Each structure stands twice: as structure tokens, then as C-alpha cells.
Amino acid sequence: MTDKRKYGRKHGLGPGPVIVLVDPQMGENIGAAARAMLNFGLTGLRLVRPRDGWPNPKAGAMAAGASSVVDNARVFDSVEDATADCGYILATTARQRELYLPVYEPGEAMAEIKPRIDDGQTCAILFGGEKSGLNTNDISLCHGILTVPLNPAFSSLNLGQAVLLAAWEWSKLAGKGERFPSRMDDAEVPTQADTDGLINHLFAELEPSGFFFPPEKREVMERNIRTTIKRAGFTRADTQLMRGIIKALARGRGAGRAASEE
């Protein structure tokens, strides 16, 4: 009840996969995992045989604003006990194992989990301890493997980082995240006349500068400039700014020419 329903409603979150940390060593890493979870809308944390016992004040301190996830964590003596109510379980590992299990990248894994959670199942993602990860026996209890494509010469992730990657992919699929609005969302799109006005203004000022040389290449040069400006995706304010810049440069060029003639 604590993992999916009561605690989830309290934080305005829907159900999500349970995060199970197996043999975690440092309280700081448990706290970092809890913080990553709550960042992306997950609240169900289960611990199997935490090395330094539980509760661990270092976990709460590291979790910062996500200390409530730590406070509601449940502790178990075995992976079997921690996942007894789960209908679908994935194990995280960076090493190939001699097990006939499907292997998923994080996004693919969440696509497997989400319809099951939507159907009311409890799903879990297992993460191994910092020293050696999950053992093969623990992985054999799972329905699949979640792995992140990493540099083969250095494939070790911090526990909090590993949880964050999985939680982020869950958030994207479940639509839990909220990005701050971009000012571009309100930007006015220039009309064709706005863009053509900028382009023609630029051509008019490039003409006396001798830019279009040799003359037989002028058509191609104008076409390339036109497509470059169109491709840039200017807002209406951008086109006005660029015209102001062109005007200022032309004015400065005129002043410089007048001074040289004195």
C-alpha cells in the first residue's frame, strides 16, 4: 500500500515501478537513488540487506527534499521477499550473463513495464550493490535485463546514476515530467513578407559592397543566402533585429566612406 497507492496519492503521483536496491552499501548512495526517484515521479523504494543497517541518517541527508522516499522505504532479508508481490521484474546489469532472458535498453524496458502497471500489476527494477552489482541468482528471479549502452572500457555507474537513468525513461513514457515553458513557445512567426523584406534589405546593402562577384555567380549566391535565412528559423523579432543590424552597418559604412573622402 505504501509503495504505489497511499504514498503516490500524497505526492500527486500515479503508480510506477518499485525500485529495489539489493545489498546497497553506502547510505549516501541510497539517498542519491531516492532523490533521483522523486525527481522523476517514483516513490516506492525497497532495500534488501543494506550493509550499514536501517534507518541510515546519511541516506536521509543525501536525499535532501526526497527524504520522504527514504522514510517510507521498506527493508527485506531477500530478493524473493522484496519482490513477492511483483508480477514483472527487471534486473539491471552492465555485464552479459549466461541466462536466457530478454535484454532491454531503458526506454524499451519502460515500454514493457508501463502496460503492466496500467493493468494494475506491481513491477520492480532491481539494482545491485556498489561493489559487484546483482549476482546471477538474483537475476534469474527476473523476467528480463535492463542495461544501458556504456563505454565498454568503463561501464560502471554510480548507484544513484543508474536509478536516475531508469527513472528518467519512466518519466518520459509516463508523462510525469514537467518542463518549464520556452519563450520560443510565444514567439511570433514571421510572415513571408517579413522574411523577404530582410532578404531584399540584405541584398540591397551587399550590392554596393561588391559582394556579388563575379557577376555570373550572383544568382547562385542570392539563392544560397535566401535558403540559409529561411533555414535559420528566425522569429519575427529576429528578422526585425537583423534588419536593424544591417541598417547600422550600412550607416557606419557610409560614415567611414565620408571620412575617407575628406
Side-chain angles (χ1 to χ4, degrees), residues 24 49 52 67 77 90 94 112 152 170 182 189 198 201 204 227 230-231 258:
R49 301 180 298 267
D52 297 336
S67 58
D77 293 326
L90 292 179
E112 291 291 323
W170 166 257
S182 167
V189 177
L198 167 62
H201 187 178
T227 56
K230 296 270 190 176
R231 193 172 61 240

PDB file of all heavy atoms in Angstrom, residues 24 49 52 67 77 90 94 112 152 170 182 189 198 201 204 227 230-231 258:
ATOM      1  N   PRO A  24      22.745  -2.711  -0.906  1.00  0.00           N
ATOM      2  CA  PRO A  24      23.368  -1.385  -1.025  1.00  0.00           C
ATOM      3  C   PRO A  24      24.330  -1.162   0.137  1.00  0.00           C
ATOM      4  O   PRO A  24      24.083  -1.591   1.259  1.00  0.00           O
ATOM      5  CB  PRO A  24      22.176  -0.427  -0.957  1.00  0.00           C
ATOM      6  CG  PRO A  24      21.161  -1.160  -0.134  1.00  0.00           C
ATOM      7  CD  PRO A  24      21.324  -2.608  -0.507  1.00  0.00           C
ATOM      8  N   ARG A  49      18.866  -6.141   2.483  1.00  0.00           N
ATOM      9  CA  ARG A  49      20.100  -6.292   3.266  1.00  0.00           C
ATOM     10  C   ARG A  49      21.030  -5.074   3.165  1.00  0.00           C
ATOM     11  O   ARG A  49      22.200  -5.206   2.769  1.00  0.00           O
ATOM     12  CB  ARG A  49      20.854  -7.556   2.843  1.00  0.00           C
ATOM     13  CG  ARG A  49      20.097  -8.851   2.999  1.00  0.00           C
ATOM     14  CD  ARG A  49      20.947 -10.041   2.553  1.00  0.00           C
ATOM     15  NE  ARG A  49      21.309  -9.956   1.140  1.00  0.00           N
ATOM     16  CZ  ARG A  49      20.615 -10.506   0.137  1.00  0.00           C
ATOM     17  NH1 ARG A  49      19.519 -11.193   0.412  1.00  0.00           N
ATOM     18  NH2 ARG A  49      21.015 -10.384  -1.111  1.00  0.00           N
ATOM     19  N   ASP A  52      24.857  -1.201   6.071  1.00  0.00           N
ATOM     20  CA  ASP A  52      25.046  -0.436   7.305  1.00  0.00           C
ATOM     21  C   ASP A  52      23.779  -0.339   8.148  1.00  0.00           C
ATOM     22  O   ASP A  52      23.675   0.510   9.032  1.00  0.00           O
ATOM     23  CB  ASP A  52      25.552   0.972   6.969  1.00  0.00           C
ATOM     24  CG  ASP A  52      26.922   0.934   6.302  1.00  0.00           C
ATOM     25  OD1 ASP A  52      27.656  -0.053   6.501  1.00  0.00           O
ATOM     26  OD2 ASP A  52      27.253   1.890   5.566  1.00  0.00           O
ATOM     27  N   SER A  67      13.703  13.076   1.259  1.00  0.00           N
ATOM     28  CA  SER A  67      13.862  12.231   2.450  1.00  0.00           C
ATOM     29  C   SER A  67      12.608  11.421   2.749  1.00  0.00           C
ATOM     30  O   SER A  67      12.674  10.360   3.373  1.00  0.00           O
ATOM     31  CB  SER A  67      14.225  13.095   3.659  1.00  0.00           C
ATOM     32  OG  SER A  67      13.234  14.092   3.884  1.00  0.00           O
ATOM     33  N   ASP A  77      14.837  -9.176   3.816  1.00  0.00           N
ATOM     34  CA  ASP A  77      16.005 -10.035   4.005  1.00  0.00           C
ATOM     35  C   ASP A  77      16.452 -10.717   2.722  1.00  0.00           C
ATOM     36  O   ASP A  77      17.557 -11.264   2.665  1.00  0.00           O
ATOM     37  CB  ASP A  77      15.697 -11.105   5.061  1.00  0.00           C
ATOM     38  CG  ASP A  77      15.499 -10.517   6.448  1.00  0.00           C
ATOM     39  OD1 ASP A  77      16.172  -9.514   6.761  1.00  0.00           O
ATOM     40  OD2 ASP A  77      14.672 -11.054   7.207  1.00  0.00           O
ATOM     41  N   LEU A  90      12.556  -6.611 -13.564  1.00  0.00           N
ATOM     42  CA  LEU A  90      13.723  -6.450 -14.423  1.00  0.00           C
ATOM     43  C   LEU A  90      14.966  -6.274 -13.560  1.00  0.00           C
ATOM     44  O   LEU A  90      14.915  -5.628 -12.511  1.00  0.00           O
ATOM     45  CB  LEU A  90      13.573  -5.236 -15.341  1.00  0.00           C
ATOM     46  CG  LEU A  90      12.500  -5.322 -16.438  1.00  0.00           C
ATOM     47  CD1 LEU A  90      12.467  -4.025 -17.232  1.00  0.00           C
ATOM     48  CD2 LEU A  90      12.749  -6.507 -17.364  1.00  0.00           C
ATOM     49  N   ALA A  94      25.384  -4.410 -16.235  1.00  0.00           N
ATOM     50  CA  ALA A  94      26.204  -3.955 -17.361  1.00  0.00           C
ATOM     51  C   ALA A  94      27.008  -5.107 -17.951  1.00  0.00           C
ATOM     52  O   ALA A  94      27.762  -4.908 -18.906  1.00  0.00           O
ATOM     53  CB  ALA A  94      27.146  -2.844 -16.914  1.00  0.00           C
ATOM     54  N   GLU A 112       7.961  -2.020 -21.692  1.00  0.00           N
ATOM     55  CA  GLU A 112       7.491  -3.332 -21.214  1.00  0.00           C
ATOM     56  C   GLU A 112       6.748  -3.190 -19.887  1.00  0.00           C
ATOM     57  O   GLU A 112       5.763  -3.887 -19.627  1.00  0.00           O
ATOM     58  CB  GLU A 112       8.680  -4.283 -21.035  1.00  0.00           C
ATOM     59  CG  GLU A 112       9.353  -4.710 -22.315  1.00  0.00           C
ATOM     60  CD  GLU A 112       8.466  -5.629 -23.145  1.00  0.00           C
ATOM     61  OE1 GLU A 112       7.753  -6.466 -22.548  1.00  0.00           O
ATOM     62  OE2 GLU A 112       8.489  -5.502 -24.389  1.00  0.00           O
ATOM     63  N   PRO A 152      32.443   0.447 -23.266  1.00  0.00           N
ATOM     64  CA  PRO A 152      32.855  -0.882 -22.813  1.00  0.00           C
ATOM     65  C   PRO A 152      34.135  -0.877 -21.982  1.00  0.00           C
ATOM     66  O   PRO A 152      34.372  -1.793 -21.198  1.00  0.00           O
ATOM     67  CB  PRO A 152      33.035  -1.670 -24.125  1.00  0.00           C
ATOM     68  CG  PRO A 152      33.206  -0.635 -25.182  1.00  0.00           C
ATOM     69  CD  PRO A 152      32.403   0.542 -24.735  1.00  0.00           C
ATOM     70  N   TRP A 170      11.278   6.269 -17.371  1.00  0.00           N
ATOM     71  CA  TRP A 170       9.901   6.048 -16.923  1.00  0.00           C
ATOM     72  C   TRP A 170       9.113   7.356 -17.012  1.00  0.00           C
ATOM     73  O   TRP A 170       7.979   7.387 -17.490  1.00  0.00           O
ATOM     74  CB  TRP A 170       9.874   5.517 -15.495  1.00  0.00           C
ATOM     75  CG  TRP A 170       8.493   5.609 -14.903  1.00  0.00           C
ATOM     76  CD1 TRP A 170       8.023   6.512 -14.009  1.00  0.00           C
ATOM     77  CD2 TRP A 170       7.382   4.769 -15.242  1.00  0.00           C
ATOM     78  NE1 TRP A 170       6.692   6.299 -13.757  1.00  0.00           N
ATOM     79  CE2 TRP A 170       6.271   5.243 -14.493  1.00  0.00           C
ATOM     80  CE3 TRP A 170       7.215   3.673 -16.087  1.00  0.00           C
ATOM     81  CZ2 TRP A 170       5.015   4.638 -14.576  1.00  0.00           C
ATOM     82  CZ3 TRP A 170       5.960   3.076 -16.173  1.00  0.00           C
ATOM     83  CH2 TRP A 170       4.879   3.564 -15.431  1.00  0.00           C
ATOM     84  N   SER A 182       9.260  27.477 -22.751  1.00  0.00           N
ATOM     85  CA  SER A 182      10.254  28.235 -23.503  1.00  0.00           C
ATOM     86  C   SER A 182       9.611  29.515 -24.032  1.00  0.00           C
ATOM     87  O   SER A 182       8.448  29.520 -24.438  1.00  0.00           O
ATOM     88  CB  SER A 182      10.764  27.405 -24.683  1.00  0.00           C
ATOM     89  OG  SER A 182      11.502  28.207 -25.583  1.00  0.00           O
ATOM     90  N   VAL A 189       5.769  34.087 -35.384  1.00  0.00           N
ATOM     91  CA  VAL A 189       6.407  33.586 -36.603  1.00  0.00           C
ATOM     92  C   VAL A 189       6.380  34.679 -37.667  1.00  0.00           C
ATOM     93  O   VAL A 189       5.338  35.319 -37.876  1.00  0.00           O
ATOM     94  CB  VAL A 189       5.672  32.329 -37.117  1.00  0.00           C
ATOM     95  CG1 VAL A 189       6.296  31.842 -38.423  1.00  0.00           C
ATOM     96  CG2 VAL A 189       5.710  31.234 -36.061  1.00  0.00           C
ATOM     97  N   LEU A 198      13.644  41.199 -45.128  1.00  0.00           N
ATOM     98  CA  LEU A 198      15.004  41.060 -44.598  1.00  0.00           C
ATOM     99  C   LEU A 198      15.981  40.691 -45.711  1.00  0.00           C
ATOM    100  O   LEU A 198      17.063  41.283 -45.840  1.00  0.00           O
ATOM    101  CB  LEU A 198      15.020  39.997 -43.499  1.00  0.00           C
ATOM    102  CG  LEU A 198      16.400  39.497 -43.055  1.00  0.00           C
ATOM    103  CD1 LEU A 198      17.227  40.637 -42.460  1.00  0.00           C
ATOM    104  CD2 LEU A 198      16.249  38.369 -42.038  1.00  0.00           C
ATOM    105  N   HIS A 201      16.528  43.537 -48.153  1.00  0.00           N
ATOM    106  CA  HIS A 201      17.311  44.578 -47.491  1.00  0.00           C
ATOM    107  C   HIS A 201      18.794  44.197 -47.489  1.00  0.00           C
ATOM    108  O   HIS A 201      19.680  45.023 -47.790  1.00  0.00           O
ATOM    109  CB  HIS A 201      16.784  44.760 -46.070  1.00  0.00           C
ATOM    110  CG  HIS A 201      17.386  45.914 -45.339  1.00  0.00           C
ATOM    111  ND1 HIS A 201      17.006  46.265 -44.060  1.00  0.00           N
ATOM    112  CD2 HIS A 201      18.357  46.809 -45.687  1.00  0.00           C
ATOM    113  CE1 HIS A 201      17.699  47.319 -43.666  1.00  0.00           C
ATOM    114  NE2 HIS A 201      18.526  47.668 -44.629  1.00  0.00           N
ATOM    115  N   ALA A 204      20.278  44.478 -50.963  1.00  0.00           N
ATOM    116  CA  ALA A 204      20.468  45.878 -51.356  1.00  0.00           C
ATOM    117  C   ALA A 204      21.744  46.462 -50.753  1.00  0.00           C
ATOM    118  O   ALA A 204      22.418  47.293 -51.388  1.00  0.00           O
ATOM    119  CB  ALA A 204      19.244  46.701 -50.930  1.00  0.00           C
ATOM    120  N   THR A 227      18.095  30.653 -48.926  1.00  0.00           N
ATOM    121  CA  THR A 227      17.779  29.382 -48.266  1.00  0.00           C
ATOM    122  C   THR A 227      18.399  29.309 -46.874  1.00  0.00           C
ATOM    123  O   THR A 227      17.816  28.716 -45.965  1.00  0.00           O
ATOM    124  CB  THR A 227      18.263  28.189 -49.118  1.00  0.00           C
ATOM    125  OG1 THR A 227      19.663  28.323 -49.386  1.00  0.00           O
ATOM    126  CG2 THR A 227      17.517  28.120 -50.436  1.00  0.00           C
ATOM    127  N   LYS A 230      16.081  31.287 -44.622  1.00  0.00           N
ATOM    128  CA  LYS A 230      14.835  30.535 -44.414  1.00  0.00           C
ATOM    129  C   LYS A 230      15.063  29.377 -43.446  1.00  0.00           C
ATOM    130  O   LYS A 230      14.233  29.072 -42.591  1.00  0.00           O
ATOM    131  CB  LYS A 230      14.336  29.985 -45.750  1.00  0.00           C
ATOM    132  CG  LYS A 230      13.944  31.046 -46.766  1.00  0.00           C
ATOM    133  CD  LYS A 230      12.486  31.411 -46.632  1.00  0.00           C
ATOM    134  CE  LYS A 230      12.058  32.295 -47.804  1.00  0.00           C
ATOM    135  NZ  LYS A 230      10.627  32.602 -47.761  1.00  0.00           N
ATOM    136  N   ARG A 231      16.210  28.722 -43.583  1.00  0.00           N
ATOM    137  CA  ARG A 231      16.512  27.548 -42.757  1.00  0.00           C
ATOM    138  C   ARG A 231      16.795  27.927 -41.309  1.00  0.00           C
ATOM    139  O   ARG A 231      16.641  27.110 -40.399  1.00  0.00           O
ATOM    140  CB  ARG A 231      17.710  26.816 -43.361  1.00  0.00           C
ATOM    141  CG  ARG A 231      17.958  25.425 -42.809  1.00  0.00           C
ATOM    142  CD  ARG A 231      19.038  24.700 -43.577  1.00  0.00           C
ATOM    143  NE  ARG A 231      20.315  25.387 -43.521  1.00  0.00           N
ATOM    144  CZ  ARG A 231      20.971  25.843 -44.580  1.00  0.00           C
ATOM    145  NH1 ARG A 231      20.458  25.721 -45.790  1.00  0.00           N
ATOM    146  NH2 ARG A 231      22.139  26.459 -44.440  1.00  0.00           N
ATOM    147  N   ALA A 258      32.561  58.629 -45.994  1.00  0.00           N
ATOM    148  CA  ALA A 258      32.590  60.092 -45.999  1.00  0.00           C
ATOM    149  C   ALA A 258      33.877  60.622 -45.366  1.00  0.00           C
ATOM    150  O   ALA A 258      34.487  61.588 -45.840  1.00  0.00           O
ATOM    151  CB  ALA A 258      31.369  60.635 -45.259  1.00  0.00           C
TER     152      ALA A 258
END
